[in-house]
Amino acid sequence: VQLVESGGGLVQAGGSLRLSCAASGLTFDEYNIAWFRPVPGKEREGVSCTSVGDGNTYYPDSVKGRFTVSSDNVKNTVYLQMNSLKPEDTAVYYCALDATYYGGCYFLPYGYDYWGQGTQVTVSS
């Protein structure tokens, strides 16, 4: 199983980026999948999670209304569209997949079995 992120880069505040997470070795829409970013002094912060049970995607207040997850089942790829970016969104973004739990998704990083290598997002002010 491999997750490969791409799409990061440097953008000005207020700009947009779309990150991709391409999965191989399994079909991503059969599992909970999430995006995370490190937060200084804390665990990785979940910025989205998509629940295999109800198909819904959830967002924390910090990104709600600005970030949107979509997917392409043919490409087995999940996307994170990030709009109205702020300097505090600067981070390495990781996608993660839980291959063993089929309940609702969750924002804590524990329990996600597979992680991508991360893609750097830098937002300048």
Side-chain angles (χ1 to χ4, degrees):
V1 176
Q2 190 174 20
L3 303 177
V4 178
E5 300 100 333
S6 61
L10 173 65
V11 64
Q12 289 188 330
S16 299
L17 282 174
R18 188 179 78 159
L19 307 183
S20 300
C21 174
S24 60
L26 48 68
T27 303
F28 75 88
D29 63 355
E30 297 178 357
Y31 307 97
N32 290 331
I33 193 162
W35 286 89
F36 287 88
R37 64 187 181 188
V39 177
K42 299 182 180 180
E43 296 289 347
R44 291 180 177 180
E45 174 190 34
V47 297
S48 76
C49 76
T50 301
S51 174
V52 64
D54 59 15
N56 290 329
T57 299
Y58 302 89
Y59 307 90
D61 289 343
S62 58
V63 306
K64 194 176 294 182
R66 300 189 299 121
F67 290 12
T68 304
V69 168
S70 63
S71 61
D72 184 329
N73 290 354
V74 174
K75 296 182 178 180
N76 209 26
T77 299
V78 175
Y79 303 99
L80 180 67
Q81 178 68 43
M82 305 186 297
N83 298 329
S84 302
L85 283 163
K86 305 174 182 180
E88 52 263 43
D89 294 320
T90 295
V92 177
Y93 284 74
Y94 299 88
C95 62
L97 185 145
D98 183 346
T100 56
Y101 180 65
Y102 297 95
C105 68
Y106 46 95
F107 287 128
L108 293 175
Y110 318 110
Y112 285 91
D113 305 290
Y114 299 102
W115 292 79
Q117 83 289 351
T119 186
Q120 175 71 48
V121 171
T122 304
V123 184
S124 63
S125 57

